[in-house]
Amino acid sequence: MSDNCSFEEVDKLMRSLELVIYVPTFVFGMVLNTMALVVFCILLRKWTESTIYMTNLALMDLLLLMLLPFKMHATNTCWSPGMKPFCSFLENMYFVGMYGSIYTIVCIAIDRYIAIRHPFRARELRSKKISLCVCLAIWGIVLLATSPTYTFGEKRLKEFHCFHEFSKKGWHPALIVSVELCGFLLPATVLVVCSCLSIHGLRESESGSRDTQAGVRIIFSSLCAFLVPFTPCHVGIFLQFLVRNEVITDCEHKKKISLFVQLAMCLANITCCLDALCYYFIAKEVRSTKPQRLSISVRKNTSTSET
């Protein structure tokens, strides 16, 4: 049954949908992330822990965006067997950009949680040097963690579609469990918990104040930039894993899952544009003429709760 299951209709539909999604994502994403780098690196002239993390996020997003033209080309064109090493490199960089963005967003949430809920310890735990080291560590970790996607030793005897035909090695249970747990569930849990505690701390400090509202908007924008694109993506990866391991065998179900996975992966790339919400609020915060107001109010609240 699985041998006779044709995905031609799904692939034909996705060729059109990918153009509709990727072209505006690429254009707006490149513009917004380039502008973000200009603002953070040149115009603001004020490096903080937040701007360092946001700069790293913009770099991750740009890496992801630069691969979209290759994905569009690979969807519509078969690559020759000799292109497999280059394809493997592109696939690896794609996952570096994706999971690098995920962990950078999580680090932003943790950094804010420390600043809001533990303002006195923040003097020890937060610094520009620490933020820079964390960002470098993120690059190193995601490069190492995504290395299993490399398949330089695998030989192709026929033409193939890059980004669409992962080997059996790429769907190994241990790898998928690691991706789901370490790549999504754990970061999502940390992000949600830190965000909820941070929002609670802000609202306790000065409920309804302008600075509090700005802080809440920053946190909600980070949650949106994470949960909206990445949740469907990882649900789709799990469903496709069930298909690859023949847990799901019905042809119609397999077609629907194939469509869902490809569409979810396309939509996951809109995080490159959603992150612009974070850029806007962070830049507004850094340019604020009263940067200490929120910090002072949180310290007062913390001191009161400790006594």
Side-chain angles (χ1 to χ4, degrees), residues 6-287:
S6 174
F7 296 91
E8 290 184 7
E9 293 182 2
V10 174
D11 294 338
K12 183 178 180 180
L13 176 60
M14 283 308 304
R15 280 194 287 270
S16 301
L17 289 178
E18 284 189 357
L19 288 175
V20 173
I21 297 171
Y22 282 159
V23 171
T25 299
F26 177 77
V27 173
F28 288 108
M30 290 295 292
V31 172
L32 292 173
N33 284 279
T34 301
M35 288 176 61
L37 289 179
V38 172
V39 170
F40 288 131
C41 298
I42 300 176
L43 298 182
L44 287 181
R45 298 180 181 179
K46 183 180 180 181
W47 283 101
T48 66
E49 294 82 2
S50 296
T51 55
I52 290 173
Y53 284 125
M54 297 309 296
T55 299
N56 191 63
L57 186 56
L59 291 173
M60 290 291 186
D61 287 343
L62 285 172
L63 173 61
L64 202 62
L65 289 164
M66 287 188 292
L67 297 171
L68 292 188
F70 294 102
K71 288 199 70 178
M72 287 187 283
H73 181 271
T75 298
N76 295 277
T77 308
C78 286
W79 289 18
S80 64
M83 294 289 287
K84 181 56 187 176
F86 181 59
C87 170
S88 182
F89 172 75
L90 295 178
E91 291 171 348
N92 181 265
M93 290 297 102
Y94 178 81
F95 289 115
V96 166
M98 175 183 290
Y99 291 102
S101 296
I102 286 176
Y103 274 93
T104 302
I105 292 172
V106 171
C107 286
I108 292 172
I110 295 174
D111 181 70
R112 287 213 166 272
Y113 166 76
I114 294 173
I116 293 170
R117 302 292 293 188
H118 305 282
F120 295 107
R121 293 196 65 191
R123 298 174 182 177
E124 302 175 1
L125 300 175
R126 297 178 76 236
S127 71
K128 290 179 281 188
K129 183 178 180 180
I130 291 176
S131 298
L132 181 59
C133 291
V134 170
C135 291
L136 293 175
I138 290 173
W139 281 95
I141 291 171
V142 293
L143 282 169
L144 181 63
T146 58
S147 59
T149 59
Y150 279 117
T151 53
F152 288 161
E154 180 183 336
K155 295 183 179 180
R156 287 273 183 175
L157 301 178
K158 61 179 182 178
E159 294 182 338
F160 66 101
H161 286 282
C162 189
F163 292 99
H164 292 275
E165 298 179 15
F166 293 104
S167 64
K168 292 182 179 180
K169 173 185 172 183
W171 293 99
H172 191 279
L175 180 60
I176 297 302
V177 169
S178 299
V179 168
E180 294 292 327
L181 290 179
C182 300
F184 178 70
L185 291 177
L186 179 60
T189 301
V190 173
L191 177 64
V192 171
V193 171
C194 287
S195 298
C196 290
L197 292 174
S198 297
I199 290 173
H200 181 68
L202 286 173
R203 287 177 173 170
E204 278 187 338
S205 62
E206 288 186 23
S207 180
S209 73
R210 185 176 179 180
D211 288 328
T212 298
Q213 292 173 359
V216 171
R217 283 196 297 268
I218 292 171
I219 295 169
F220 274 127
S221 65
S222 296
L223 275 173
C224 178
F226 183 97
L227 296 177
V228 171
F230 294 127
T231 301
C233 171
H234 286 84
V235 171
I237 290 174
F238 176 71
L239 292 174
Q240 187 64 24
F241 167 73
L242 296 180
V243 171
R244 289 296 187 111
N245 286 272
E246 299 183 351
V247 176
I248 297 176
T249 57
D250 181 75
C251 184
E252 289 302 315
H253 289 163
K254 290 168 68 174
K255 288 181 180 179
K256 292 177 181 178
I257 291 173
S258 178
L259 178 61
F260 176 76
V261 171
Q262 294 185 62
L263 186 58
M265 293 297 290
C266 287
L267 294 176
N269 296 300
I270 68 172
T271 185
C272 300
C273 297
L274 292 178
D275 288 339
L277 295 172
C278 303
Y279 303 151
Y280 170 76
F281 290 129
I282 291 290
K284 188 175 181 180
E285 180 191 36
V286 173
R287 290 183 298 175

